Amino acid sequence: MTQPALDLVIAALETIREKSDRAPRASRTLLARLQVARAAAARPLALRTAHATPDDAAESAVPSGDPGAPNKAELLAVVRDRVRACTKCAHLACSRTQTVFGVGNPDADLMFVGEAPGVDEDQQGEPFVGRAGQLLTRILKAMNFAREDVYIANILKCRPDTSPGTFGNRPPTPMEMQTCRPYLVEQIEIIQPTVLVALGAVAVEGLLGTRATMRELRGRWHTYDGISLMITYHPAYLLRNQAPSEKRKVWEDMLQVLERLERPISERQRNYFL
Protein backbone atom coordinates (compact mmCIF):
# COMPACT_ATOMS: atom_id res chain seq x y z
CA MET A 1 0.00 0.00 0.00
CA THR A 2 1.41 3.41 -0.96
CA GLN A 3 1.93 6.20 1.56
CA PRO A 4 -0.93 8.43 0.25
CA ALA A 5 -3.32 5.49 0.47
CA LEU A 6 -2.18 4.69 4.01
CA ASP A 7 -2.62 8.34 5.01
CA LEU A 8 -6.19 8.32 3.73
CA VAL A 9 -7.07 5.07 5.52
CA ILE A 10 -5.60 6.19 8.85
CA ALA A 11 -7.22 9.62 8.67
CA ALA A 12 -10.62 8.11 7.85
CA LEU A 13 -10.48 5.57 10.67
CA GLU A 14 -9.36 8.18 13.21
CA THR A 15 -12.13 10.57 12.13
CA ILE A 16 -14.79 7.87 12.43
CA ARG A 17 -13.50 6.81 15.84
CA GLU A 18 -13.51 10.37 17.20
CA LYS A 19 -16.69 11.79 15.66
CA SER A 20 -19.08 8.97 14.82
CA ASP A 21 -21.58 7.33 17.15
CA ARG A 22 -20.62 4.01 15.61
CA ALA A 23 -17.11 2.81 16.28
CA PRO A 24 -15.13 1.68 13.21
CA ARG A 25 -14.19 -1.94 12.91
CA ALA A 26 -10.52 -1.18 13.50
CA SER A 27 -8.70 -1.68 16.78
CA ARG A 28 -6.05 0.64 18.12
CA THR A 29 -3.56 -2.14 17.34
CA LEU A 30 -4.58 -2.12 13.67
CA LEU A 31 -4.19 1.66 13.60
CA ALA A 32 -0.72 1.25 15.10
CA ARG A 33 0.17 -1.26 12.39
CA LEU A 34 -1.00 1.19 9.72
CA GLN A 35 0.97 4.03 11.30
CA VAL A 36 4.15 1.95 11.35
CA ALA A 37 3.53 0.92 7.76
CA ARG A 38 3.05 4.59 6.82
CA ALA A 39 6.39 5.46 8.44
CA ALA A 40 8.09 2.65 6.53
CA ALA A 41 6.53 3.79 3.27
CA ALA A 42 7.69 7.35 3.93
CA ARG A 43 11.35 6.36 4.14
CA PRO A 44 13.29 7.31 1.01
CA LEU A 45 13.59 4.43 -1.43
CA ALA A 46 17.38 4.76 -1.36
CA LEU A 47 17.42 4.09 2.39
CA ARG A 48 15.15 1.08 2.05
CA THR A 49 17.25 -0.47 -0.75
CA ALA A 50 20.77 0.68 0.14
CA HIS A 51 21.78 -2.72 1.45
CA ALA A 52 19.44 -4.83 -0.66
CA THR A 53 20.73 -7.69 -2.80
CA PRO A 54 19.34 -8.29 -6.29
CA ASP A 55 17.19 -11.07 -4.86
CA ASP A 56 15.88 -8.70 -2.18
CA ALA A 57 15.01 -6.14 -4.82
CA ALA A 58 13.14 -8.72 -6.83
CA GLU A 59 11.17 -9.78 -3.76
CA SER A 60 10.37 -6.16 -2.85
CA ALA A 61 8.78 -5.66 -6.26
CA VAL A 62 6.12 -8.22 -5.36
CA PRO A 63 3.44 -7.12 -2.84
CA SER A 64 4.02 -9.12 0.34
CA GLY A 65 0.60 -8.50 1.89
CA ASP A 66 2.36 -7.13 4.99
CA PRO A 67 3.03 -3.39 4.39
CA GLY A 68 6.28 -2.31 6.01
CA ALA A 69 6.40 -5.60 7.98
CA PRO A 70 6.10 -3.82 11.35
CA ASN A 71 7.51 -5.75 14.28
CA LYS A 72 6.13 -5.83 17.79
CA ALA A 73 8.66 -3.30 19.13
CA GLU A 74 7.57 -0.78 16.50
CA LEU A 75 3.91 -1.34 17.28
CA LEU A 76 4.53 -0.91 21.00
CA ALA A 77 6.47 2.30 20.32
CA VAL A 78 3.40 3.80 18.62
CA VAL A 79 1.26 3.01 21.67
CA ARG A 80 4.00 4.27 24.01
CA ASP A 81 3.99 7.64 22.23
CA ARG A 82 0.23 7.97 22.78
CA VAL A 83 0.63 7.06 26.45
CA ARG A 84 3.32 9.71 26.94
CA ALA A 85 0.98 12.37 25.59
CA CYS A 86 -2.13 11.09 27.41
CA THR A 87 -4.02 13.57 29.61
CA LYS A 88 -7.31 11.65 29.93
CA CYS A 89 -6.88 11.62 33.72
CA ALA A 90 -6.00 15.28 34.13
CA HIS A 91 -5.18 14.94 37.83
CA LEU A 92 -2.66 12.16 37.11
CA ALA A 93 -1.16 13.97 34.13
CA CYS A 94 -0.50 16.95 36.41
CA SER A 95 1.01 14.97 39.28
CA ARG A 96 3.14 12.41 37.43
CA THR A 97 6.84 12.78 36.77
CA GLN A 98 6.49 10.65 33.65
CA THR A 99 4.38 7.81 32.32
CA VAL A 100 5.42 4.21 32.96
CA PHE A 101 4.58 2.18 29.88
CA GLY A 102 6.15 -1.26 30.11
CA VAL A 103 9.48 -3.02 29.79
CA GLY A 104 10.88 -6.26 28.51
CA ASN A 105 10.80 -8.52 25.48
CA PRO A 106 8.07 -7.65 22.94
CA ASP A 107 8.13 -11.29 21.81
CA ALA A 108 7.84 -12.68 25.34
CA ASP A 109 5.84 -15.82 26.06
CA LEU A 110 5.32 -14.62 29.65
CA MET A 111 3.83 -11.26 30.65
CA PHE A 112 3.30 -9.88 34.16
CA VAL A 113 0.64 -7.26 34.94
CA GLY A 114 0.70 -5.18 38.12
CA GLU A 115 -1.55 -2.39 39.32
CA ALA A 116 0.17 1.02 39.04
CA PRO A 117 3.55 2.73 39.30
CA GLY A 118 4.87 3.71 42.71
CA VAL A 119 7.20 6.56 43.54
CA ASP A 120 10.32 4.72 42.29
CA GLU A 121 8.64 3.76 39.04
CA ASP A 122 7.36 7.31 38.55
CA GLN A 123 10.91 8.61 38.93
CA GLN A 124 12.59 6.03 36.69
CA GLY A 125 9.86 5.47 34.11
CA GLU A 126 10.04 1.67 34.42
CA PRO A 127 7.61 -0.70 36.16
CA PHE A 128 8.62 -2.76 39.20
CA VAL A 129 11.94 -1.13 40.10
CA GLY A 130 11.28 -0.52 43.81
CA ARG A 131 11.40 -3.10 46.60
CA ALA A 132 8.49 -5.07 45.16
CA GLY A 133 10.18 -5.01 41.77
CA GLN A 134 13.42 -6.32 43.22
CA LEU A 135 11.50 -9.24 44.71
CA LEU A 136 9.83 -9.89 41.35
CA THR A 137 13.28 -9.95 39.75
CA ARG A 138 14.39 -12.57 42.29
CA ILE A 139 11.30 -14.66 41.52
CA LEU A 140 12.10 -14.45 37.81
CA LYS A 141 15.69 -15.50 38.45
CA ALA A 142 14.47 -18.53 40.41
CA MET A 143 12.33 -19.39 37.37
CA ASN A 144 15.47 -19.11 35.18
CA PHE A 145 14.20 -15.92 33.53
CA ALA A 146 15.84 -12.52 33.30
CA ARG A 147 13.70 -9.39 33.29
CA GLU A 148 14.69 -8.99 29.65
CA ASP A 149 13.08 -12.34 28.81
CA VAL A 150 9.56 -11.39 29.94
CA TYR A 151 7.32 -8.34 29.56
CA ILE A 152 6.16 -6.33 32.58
CA ALA A 153 3.39 -3.72 32.59
CA ASN A 154 0.74 -2.19 34.83
CA ILE A 155 -2.96 -1.48 34.60
CA LEU A 156 -2.23 2.24 35.10
CA LYS A 157 0.55 4.04 33.27
CA CYS A 158 0.66 6.95 35.76
CA ARG A 159 1.32 6.89 39.47
CA PRO A 160 -1.95 7.52 41.36
CA ASP A 161 -1.70 10.94 42.95
CA THR A 162 -1.66 11.31 46.72
CA SER A 163 -2.55 14.19 49.03
CA PRO A 164 0.31 16.57 49.93
CA GLY A 165 2.19 15.37 52.99
CA THR A 166 1.05 11.76 52.68
CA PHE A 167 3.39 8.84 52.08
CA GLY A 168 3.06 5.57 50.25
CA ASN A 169 0.83 4.70 47.33
CA ARG A 170 -2.90 4.52 46.83
CA PRO A 171 -4.72 1.97 44.66
CA PRO A 172 -6.18 3.11 41.35
CA THR A 173 -9.86 4.03 41.27
CA PRO A 174 -12.24 2.02 39.04
CA MET A 175 -12.59 5.05 36.75
CA GLU A 176 -8.81 5.42 36.42
CA MET A 177 -8.49 1.73 35.55
CA GLN A 178 -11.31 1.90 33.02
CA THR A 179 -9.72 4.94 31.35
CA CYS A 180 -6.22 3.47 31.14
CA ARG A 181 -7.11 -0.15 30.46
CA PRO A 182 -7.23 0.17 26.62
CA TYR A 183 -3.49 0.83 26.57
CA LEU A 184 -2.83 -2.45 28.39
CA VAL A 185 -5.24 -4.27 26.07
CA GLU A 186 -3.19 -3.03 23.11
CA GLN A 187 0.05 -4.17 24.74
CA ILE A 188 -1.35 -7.66 25.23
CA GLU A 189 -2.76 -7.76 21.69
CA ILE A 190 0.64 -6.87 20.27
CA ILE A 191 2.78 -9.11 22.48
CA GLN A 192 0.40 -12.09 22.40
CA PRO A 193 2.00 -13.91 25.33
CA THR A 194 1.36 -17.56 26.00
CA VAL A 195 0.80 -16.88 29.71
CA LEU A 196 -0.30 -13.79 31.62
CA VAL A 197 0.34 -13.40 35.35
CA ALA A 198 -1.85 -10.94 37.26
CA LEU A 199 -0.07 -9.66 40.37
CA GLY A 200 -2.66 -8.85 43.01
CA ALA A 201 -6.38 -8.18 43.20
CA VAL A 202 -6.20 -4.75 41.53
CA ALA A 203 -4.54 -6.26 38.45
CA VAL A 204 -7.26 -8.91 38.35
CA GLU A 205 -9.98 -6.27 38.53
CA GLY A 206 -8.31 -4.27 35.77
CA LEU A 207 -7.97 -7.28 33.50
CA LEU A 208 -11.17 -9.23 34.19
CA GLY A 209 -13.44 -6.73 35.91
CA THR A 210 -13.65 -9.23 38.78
CA ARG A 211 -13.60 -8.35 42.46
CA ALA A 212 -12.83 -11.24 44.79
CA THR A 213 -10.34 -12.21 47.47
CA MET A 214 -6.98 -13.56 46.43
CA ARG A 215 -7.81 -16.67 48.41
CA GLU A 216 -10.59 -17.35 45.92
CA LEU A 217 -8.68 -16.39 42.78
CA ARG A 218 -5.08 -17.48 43.03
CA GLY A 219 -3.49 -20.83 42.36
CA ARG A 220 -5.68 -21.92 39.45
CA TRP A 221 -5.91 -21.10 35.79
CA HIS A 222 -8.17 -18.42 34.40
CA THR A 223 -8.47 -17.06 30.86
CA TYR A 224 -8.09 -13.59 29.42
CA ASP A 225 -9.09 -13.26 25.76
CA GLY A 226 -8.00 -16.85 25.08
CA ILE A 227 -4.69 -16.44 26.96
CA SER A 228 -3.88 -18.58 30.00
CA LEU A 229 -3.99 -16.34 33.09
CA MET A 230 -2.44 -17.17 36.45
CA ILE A 231 -3.39 -14.99 39.42
CA THR A 232 -1.02 -14.66 42.34
CA TYR A 233 -0.12 -12.29 45.16
CA HIS A 234 1.57 -8.99 44.40
CA PRO A 235 5.23 -8.96 45.53
CA ALA A 236 4.37 -6.03 47.83
CA TYR A 237 2.08 -8.39 49.75
CA LEU A 238 5.01 -10.72 50.38
CA LEU A 239 7.05 -7.79 51.69
CA ARG A 240 4.29 -7.07 54.21
CA ASN A 241 3.62 -10.71 55.04
CA GLN A 242 6.87 -12.62 55.38
CA ALA A 243 5.24 -15.93 56.38
CA PRO A 244 6.92 -18.85 54.54
CA SER A 245 3.48 -20.30 53.79
CA GLU A 246 2.49 -17.20 51.77
CA LYS A 247 5.79 -17.14 49.90
CA ARG A 248 5.38 -20.80 49.07
CA LYS A 249 1.93 -20.12 47.59
CA VAL A 250 3.40 -17.65 45.11
CA TRP A 251 6.15 -20.07 44.17
CA GLU A 252 3.63 -22.86 43.61
CA ASP A 253 1.78 -20.53 41.25
CA MET A 254 5.03 -19.89 39.37
CA LEU A 255 5.68 -23.62 39.08
CA GLN A 256 2.32 -23.92 37.34
CA VAL A 257 3.38 -21.13 34.99
CA LEU A 258 6.61 -22.96 34.16
CA GLU A 259 4.65 -26.14 33.45
CA ARG A 260 2.19 -24.29 31.17
CA LEU A 261 5.17 -22.81 29.29
CA GLU A 262 6.68 -26.31 29.07
CA ARG A 263 9.88 -25.14 30.75
CA PRO A 264 12.07 -27.72 32.50
CA ILE A 265 11.69 -27.71 36.30
CA SER A 266 14.56 -28.97 38.44
CA GLU A 267 14.20 -30.72 41.77
CA ARG A 268 15.76 -27.69 43.39
CA GLN A 269 13.08 -25.46 41.89
CA ARG A 270 10.30 -27.75 43.10
CA ASN A 271 11.63 -27.49 46.64
CA TYR A 272 12.39 -23.77 46.45
CA PHE A 273 11.05 -21.21 48.92
CA LEU A 274 11.16 -17.48 48.16
Side-chain angles (χ1 to χ4, degrees), residues 9-55:
V9 171
I10 291 170
L13 289 172
E14 289 179 340
T15 299
I16 294 171
R17 180 179 289 277
E18 295 299 328
K19 296 184 178 181
S20 175
D21 293 334
R22 298 180 61 188
R25 290 185 176 274
S27 67
R28 288 288 191 184
T29 303
L30 176 58
L31 285 175
R33 290 182 185 276
L34 288 170
Q35 288 167 342
V36 171
R38 177 174 61 181
R43 291 199 299 268
L45 181 62
L47 291 179
R48 283 182 274 148
T49 60
H51 303 290
T53 65
D55 288 341

Short mmCIF file of all heavy atoms in Angstrom, two decimals, residues 9-55:
data_model
loop_
_atom_site.label_atom_id
_atom_site.label_comp_id
_atom_site.label_asym_id
_atom_site.label_seq_id
_atom_site.Cartn_x
_atom_site.Cartn_y
_atom_site.Cartn_z
N VAL A 9 -6.44 6.09 4.68
CA VAL A 9 -7.07 5.07 5.52
C VAL A 9 -6.99 5.44 6.99
O VAL A 9 -7.98 5.39 7.73
CB VAL A 9 -6.43 3.69 5.27
CG1 VAL A 9 -6.94 2.67 6.29
CG2 VAL A 9 -6.75 3.20 3.87
N ILE A 10 -5.80 5.84 7.43
CA ILE A 10 -5.60 6.19 8.85
C ILE A 10 -6.45 7.40 9.22
O ILE A 10 -7.12 7.42 10.26
CB ILE A 10 -4.11 6.46 9.12
CG1 ILE A 10 -3.32 5.16 9.01
CG2 ILE A 10 -3.92 7.07 10.52
CD1 ILE A 10 -1.82 5.36 9.03
N ALA A 11 -6.44 8.42 8.37
CA ALA A 11 -7.22 9.62 8.67
C ALA A 11 -8.71 9.30 8.75
O ALA A 11 -9.42 9.79 9.64
CB ALA A 11 -6.96 10.68 7.60
N ALA A 12 -9.20 8.45 7.84
CA ALA A 12 -10.62 8.11 7.85
C ALA A 12 -11.00 7.35 9.10
O ALA A 12 -12.03 7.62 9.73
CB ALA A 12 -10.96 7.29 6.60
N LEU A 13 -10.19 6.37 9.47
CA LEU A 13 -10.48 5.57 10.67
C LEU A 13 -10.45 6.44 11.93
O LEU A 13 -11.31 6.30 12.81
CB LEU A 13 -9.49 4.42 10.78
CG LEU A 13 -9.64 3.29 9.76
CD1 LEU A 13 -8.47 2.32 9.87
CD2 LEU A 13 -10.96 2.56 9.95
N GLU A 14 -9.46 7.33 12.02
CA GLU A 14 -9.36 8.18 13.21
C GLU A 14 -10.54 9.14 13.28
O GLU A 14 -11.06 9.42 14.37
CB GLU A 14 -8.03 8.94 13.19
CG GLU A 14 -6.83 8.02 13.45
CD GLU A 14 -5.52 8.77 13.42
OE1 GLU A 14 -5.47 9.88 12.83
OE2 GLU A 14 -4.53 8.25 13.97
N THR A 15 -10.98 9.66 12.13
CA THR A 15 -12.13 10.57 12.13
C THR A 15 -13.39 9.84 12.57
O THR A 15 -14.18 10.37 13.37
CB THR A 15 -12.33 11.15 10.72
OG1 THR A 15 -11.16 11.89 10.34
CG2 THR A 15 -13.54 12.07 10.68
N ILE A 16 -13.60 8.64 12.05
CA ILE A 16 -14.79 7.87 12.43
C ILE A 16 -14.77 7.57 13.92
O ILE A 16 -15.77 7.70 14.62
CB ILE A 16 -14.86 6.56 11.62
CG1 ILE A 16 -15.10 6.88 10.15
CG2 ILE A 16 -15.97 5.65 12.15
CD1 ILE A 16 -14.97 5.67 9.22
N ARG A 17 -13.60 7.15 14.42
CA ARG A 17 -13.50 6.81 15.84
C ARG A 17 -13.81 8.00 16.73
O ARG A 17 -14.45 7.88 17.77
CB ARG A 17 -12.10 6.27 16.16
CG ARG A 17 -11.91 5.88 17.62
CD ARG A 17 -10.51 5.34 17.87
NE ARG A 17 -10.34 4.02 17.29
CZ ARG A 17 -10.73 2.90 17.88
NH1 ARG A 17 -11.33 2.95 19.05
NH2 ARG A 17 -10.51 1.73 17.32
N GLU A 18 -13.36 9.19 16.35
CA GLU A 18 -13.51 10.37 17.20
C GLU A 18 -14.89 11.02 17.08
O GLU A 18 -15.41 11.55 18.06
CB GLU A 18 -12.43 11.40 16.84
CG GLU A 18 -11.01 10.95 17.13
CD GLU A 18 -10.77 10.66 18.59
OE1 GLU A 18 -11.39 11.32 19.45
OE2 GLU A 18 -9.96 9.76 18.89
N LYS A 19 -15.51 10.96 15.90
CA LYS A 19 -16.69 11.79 15.66
C LYS A 19 -17.99 11.00 15.46
O LYS A 19 -19.07 11.56 15.58
CB LYS A 19 -16.46 12.68 14.44
CG LYS A 19 -15.34 13.70 14.64
CD LYS A 19 -15.21 14.61 13.44
CE LYS A 19 -14.12 15.65 13.66
NZ LYS A 19 -13.98 16.56 12.50
N SER A 20 -17.87 9.72 15.13
CA SER A 20 -19.08 8.97 14.82
C SER A 20 -19.63 8.28 16.05
O SER A 20 -18.91 7.94 16.98
CB SER A 20 -18.76 7.92 13.74
OG SER A 20 -19.89 7.09 13.51
N ASP A 21 -20.95 8.10 16.06
CA ASP A 21 -21.58 7.33 17.15
C ASP A 21 -21.28 5.85 17.03
O ASP A 21 -21.37 5.11 18.00
CB ASP A 21 -23.10 7.54 17.12
CG ASP A 21 -23.49 8.97 17.46
OD1 ASP A 21 -22.70 9.63 18.16
OD2 ASP A 21 -24.56 9.42 17.02
N ARG A 22 -20.94 5.41 15.83
CA ARG A 22 -20.62 4.01 15.61
C ARG A 22 -19.12 3.85 15.47
O ARG A 22 -18.49 4.50 14.63
CB ARG A 22 -21.31 3.49 14.35
CG ARG A 22 -22.83 3.53 14.41
CD ARG A 22 -23.43 3.03 13.12
NE ARG A 22 -23.05 1.64 12.85
CZ ARG A 22 -23.32 1.00 11.71
NH1 ARG A 22 -23.95 1.65 10.74
NH2 ARG A 22 -22.95 -0.25 11.55
N ALA A 23 -18.55 3.01 16.32
CA ALA A 23 -17.11 2.81 16.28
C ALA A 23 -16.71 2.06 15.01
O ALA A 23 -17.43 1.17 14.56
CB ALA A 23 -16.65 2.02 17.51
N PRO A 24 -15.58 2.41 14.40
CA PRO A 24 -15.13 1.68 13.21
C PRO A 24 -14.66 0.29 13.61
O PRO A 24 -14.27 0.05 14.74
CB PRO A 24 -13.97 2.54 12.70
CG PRO A 24 -13.43 3.19 13.93
CD PRO A 24 -14.64 3.45 14.81
N ARG A 25 -14.68 -0.59 12.64
CA ARG A 25 -14.19 -1.94 12.91
C ARG A 25 -12.68 -1.96 12.71
O ARG A 25 -12.16 -2.61 11.80
CB ARG A 25 -14.88 -2.94 11.99
CG ARG A 25 -16.34 -3.15 12.32
CD ARG A 25 -16.95 -4.23 11.47
NE ARG A 25 -18.32 -4.50 11.85
CZ ARG A 25 -18.67 -5.34 12.81
NH1 ARG A 25 -17.74 -6.00 13.49
NH2 ARG A 25 -19.94 -5.55 13.11
N ALA A 26 -11.98 -1.22 13.54
CA ALA A 26 -10.52 -1.18 13.50
C ALA A 26 -10.02 -0.93 14.92
O ALA A 26 -10.38 0.06 15.53
CB ALA A 26 -10.03 -0.08 12.56
N SER A 27 -9.22 -1.83 15.43
CA SER A 27 -8.70 -1.68 16.78
C SER A 27 -7.55 -0.69 16.79
O SER A 27 -6.99 -0.33 15.75
CB SER A 27 -8.21 -3.02 17.32
OG SER A 27 -7.08 -3.45 16.58
N ARG A 28 -7.22 -0.23 17.99
CA ARG A 28 -6.05 0.64 18.12
C ARG A 28 -4.79 -0.07 17.61
O ARG A 28 -3.88 0.55 17.06
CB ARG A 28 -5.85 1.02 19.59
CG ARG A 28 -6.89 2.00 20.11
CD ARG A 28 -6.68 3.38 19.54
NE ARG A 28 -7.50 4.38 20.20
CZ ARG A 28 -7.55 5.64 19.84
NH1 ARG A 28 -6.86 6.07 18.81
NH2 ARG A 28 -8.31 6.50 20.49
N THR A 29 -4.73 -1.39 17.80
CA THR A 29 -3.56 -2.14 17.34
C THR A 29 -3.45 -2.09 15.83
O THR A 29 -2.36 -1.92 15.28
CB THR A 29 -3.66 -3.61 17.81
OG1 THR A 29 -3.77 -3.63 19.23
CG2 THR A 29 -2.42 -4.39 17.39
N LEU A 30 -4.60 -2.22 15.13
CA LEU A 30 -4.58 -2.12 13.67
C LEU A 30 -4.13 -0.73 13.24
O LEU A 30 -3.34 -0.58 12.30
CB LEU A 30 -5.95 -2.43 13.10
CG LEU A 30 -6.11 -2.27 11.57
CD1 LEU A 30 -5.11 -3.14 10.84
CD2 LEU A 30 -7.53 -2.60 11.14
N LEU A 31 -4.64 0.30 13.93
CA LEU A 31 -4.19 1.66 13.60
C LEU A 31 -2.69 1.81 13.79
O LEU A 31 -2.00 2.44 12.99
CB LEU A 31 -4.93 2.68 14.47
CG LEU A 31 -6.40 2.96 14.11
CD1 LEU A 31 -7.02 3.90 15.13
CD2 LEU A 31 -6.49 3.55 12.71
N ALA A 32 -2.17 1.20 14.86
CA ALA A 32 -0.72 1.25 15.10
C ALA A 32 0.03 0.57 13.96
O ALA A 32 1.07 1.07 13.50
CB ALA A 32 -0.39 0.59 16.43
N ARG A 33 -0.48 -0.57 13.50
CA ARG A 33 0.17 -1.26 12.39
C ARG A 33 0.19 -0.37 11.13
O ARG A 33 1.19 -0.29 10.42
CB ARG A 33 -0.55 -2.57 12.09
CG ARG A 33 -0.37 -3.64 13.15
CD ARG A 33 -1.09 -4.92 12.75
NE ARG A 33 -1.02 -5.90 13.82
CZ ARG A 33 0.01 -6.73 14.01
NH1 ARG A 33 1.04 -6.69 13.19
NH2 ARG A 33 -0.01 -7.60 15.01
N LEU A 34 -0.93 0.30 10.88
CA LEU A 34 -1.00 1.19 9.72
C LEU A 34 -0.05 2.37 9.86
O LEU A 34 0.59 2.79 8.89
CB LEU A 34 -2.43 1.69 9.53
CG LEU A 34 -3.44 0.65 9.02
CD1 LEU A 34 -4.86 1.20 9.13
CD2 LEU A 34 -3.13 0.24 7.60
N GLN A 35 0.06 2.90 11.09
CA GLN A 35 0.97 4.03 11.30
C GLN A 35 2.42 3.63 11.09
O GLN A 35 3.21 4.37 10.51
CB GLN A 35 0.76 4.59 12.71
CG GLN A 35 -0.56 5.34 12.85
CD GLN A 35 -0.91 5.61 14.30
OE1 GLN A 35 -0.39 4.98 15.21
NE2 GLN A 35 -1.83 6.54 14.51
N VAL A 36 2.78 2.43 11.56
CA VAL A 36 4.15 1.95 11.35
C VAL A 36 4.39 1.72 9.86
O VAL A 36 5.45 2.04 9.33
CB VAL A 36 4.39 0.65 12.16
CG1 VAL A 36 5.73 0.03 11.77
CG2 VAL A 36 4.38 0.94 13.65
N ALA A 37 3.40 1.14 9.20
CA ALA A 37 3.53 0.92 7.76
C ALA A 37 3.69 2.24 7.01
O ALA A 37 4.46 2.34 6.06
CB ALA A 37 2.32 0.15 7.24
N ARG A 38 2.93 3.27 7.46
CA ARG A 38 3.05 4.59 6.82
C ARG A 38 4.46 5.14 6.99
O ARG A 38 5.04 5.69 6.06
CB ARG A 38 2.04 5.56 7.42
CG ARG A 38 2.15 6.97 6.85
CD ARG A 38 1.04 7.88 7.36
NE ARG A 38 1.07 8.03 8.80
CZ ARG A 38 0.18 8.75 9.48
NH1 ARG A 38 -0.79 9.35 8.85
NH2 ARG A 38 0.28 8.86 10.78
N ALA A 39 5.03 4.98 8.20
CA ALA A 39 6.39 5.46 8.44
C ALA A 39 7.39 4.73 7.55
O ALA A 39 8.33 5.33 7.01
CB ALA A 39 6.75 5.28 9.91
N ALA A 40 7.18 3.43 7.39
CA ALA A 40 8.09 2.65 6.53
C ALA A 40 7.98 3.10 5.08
O ALA A 40 8.97 3.22 4.37
CB ALA A 40 7.77 1.16 6.66
N ALA A 41 6.74 3.36 4.65
CA ALA A 41 6.53 3.79 3.27
C ALA A 41 7.11 5.17 3.02
O ALA A 41 7.48 5.50 1.89
CB ALA A 41 5.03 3.79 2.95
N ALA A 42 7.20 5.97 4.07
CA ALA A 42 7.69 7.35 3.93
C ALA A 42 9.20 7.41 3.83
O ALA A 42 9.75 8.43 3.40
CB ALA A 42 7.22 8.19 5.11
N ARG A 43 9.90 6.33 4.22
CA ARG A 43 11.35 6.36 4.14
C ARG A 43 11.78 6.43 2.68
O ARG A 43 11.20 5.76 1.82
CB ARG A 43 11.95 5.10 4.79
CG ARG A 43 11.79 5.04 6.28
CD ARG A 43 12.79 4.06 6.89
NE ARG A 43 12.58 2.71 6.40
CZ ARG A 43 11.80 1.82 7.00
NH1 ARG A 43 11.14 2.15 8.09
NH2 ARG A 43 11.69 0.61 6.50
N PRO A 44 12.83 7.22 2.39
CA PRO A 44 13.29 7.31 1.01
C PRO A 44 13.63 5.93 0.46
O PRO A 44 14.17 5.09 1.17
CB PRO A 44 14.54 8.20 1.10
CG PRO A 44 14.35 8.98 2.37
CD PRO A 44 13.59 8.07 3.29
N LEU A 45 13.33 5.72 -0.81
CA LEU A 45 13.59 4.43 -1.43
C LEU A 45 15.06 4.05 -1.33
O LEU A 45 15.42 2.89 -1.12
CB LEU A 45 13.17 4.47 -2.91
CG LEU A 45 13.36 3.18 -3.71
CD1 LEU A 45 12.51 2.07 -3.09
CD2 LEU A 45 12.99 3.39 -5.17
N ALA A 46 15.95 5.05 -1.43
CA ALA A 46 17.38 4.76 -1.36
C ALA A 46 17.76 4.14 -0.02
O ALA A 46 18.61 3.26 0.06
CB ALA A 46 18.19 6.05 -1.59
N LEU A 47 17.12 4.63 1.08
CA LEU A 47 17.42 4.09 2.39
C LEU A 47 16.91 2.67 2.53
O LEU A 47 17.51 1.83 3.17
CB LEU A 47 16.80 4.98 3.48
CG LEU A 47 17.42 6.36 3.66
CD1 LEU A 47 16.67 7.11 4.75
CD2 LEU A 47 18.90 6.24 4.02
N ARG A 48 15.75 2.40 1.91
CA ARG A 48 15.15 1.08 2.05
C ARG A 48 15.88 0.04 1.21
O ARG A 48 15.79 -1.15 1.47
CB ARG A 48 13.67 1.11 1.67
CG ARG A 48 12.79 1.71 2.75
CD ARG A 48 11.33 1.68 2.35
NE ARG A 48 10.97 2.84 1.55
CZ ARG A 48 10.06 2.84 0.58
NH1 ARG A 48 9.44 1.74 0.27
NH2 ARG A 48 9.77 3.95 -0.08
N THR A 49 16.61 0.48 0.16
CA THR A 49 17.25 -0.47 -0.75
C THR A 49 18.76 -0.39 -0.74
O THR A 49 19.43 -1.07 -1.50
CB THR A 49 16.75 -0.23 -2.19
OG1 THR A 49 17.09 1.11 -2.58
CG2 THR A 49 15.24 -0.41 -2.28
N ALA A 50 19.32 0.46 0.14
CA ALA A 50 20.77 0.68 0.14
C ALA A 50 21.56 -0.60 0.31
O ALA A 50 22.61 -0.80 -0.29
CB ALA A 50 21.15 1.69 1.22
N HIS A 51 21.05 -1.49 1.16
CA HIS A 51 21.78 -2.72 1.45
C HIS A 51 21.09 -3.94 0.85
O HIS A 51 21.37 -5.08 1.22
CB HIS A 51 21.90 -2.91 2.96
CG HIS A 51 22.56 -1.75 3.64
ND1 HIS A 51 23.90 -1.48 3.50
CD2 HIS A 51 22.06 -0.78 4.45
CE1 HIS A 51 24.21 -0.41 4.20
NE2 HIS A 51 23.12 0.04 4.78
N ALA A 52 20.19 -3.71 -0.11
CA ALA A 52 19.44 -4.83 -0.66
C ALA A 52 20.26 -5.56 -1.71
O ALA A 52 21.01 -4.96 -2.48
CB ALA A 52 18.14 -4.32 -1.30
N THR A 53 20.13 -6.87 -1.76
CA THR A 53 20.73 -7.69 -2.80
C THR A 53 19.80 -7.72 -3.99
O THR A 53 18.62 -7.33 -3.89
CB THR A 53 20.95 -9.12 -2.29
OG1 THR A 53 19.67 -9.70 -2.05
CG2 THR A 53 21.76 -9.11 -1.01
N PRO A 54 20.26 -8.17 -5.15
CA PRO A 54 19.34 -8.29 -6.29
C PRO A 54 18.13 -9.15 -5.99
O PRO A 54 17.02 -8.84 -6.43
CB PRO A 54 20.24 -8.93 -7.37
CG PRO A 54 21.63 -8.48 -7.03
CD PRO A 54 21.65 -8.44 -5.52
N ASP A 55 18.33 -10.23 -5.23
CA ASP A 55 17.19 -11.07 -4.86
C ASP A 55 16.21 -10.32 -3.99
O ASP A 55 14.99 -10.45 -4.14
CB ASP A 55 17.67 -12.33 -4.12
CG ASP A 55 18.36 -13.30 -5.07
OD1 ASP A 55 18.16 -13.17 -6.30
OD2 ASP A 55 19.09 -14.17 -4.58
#
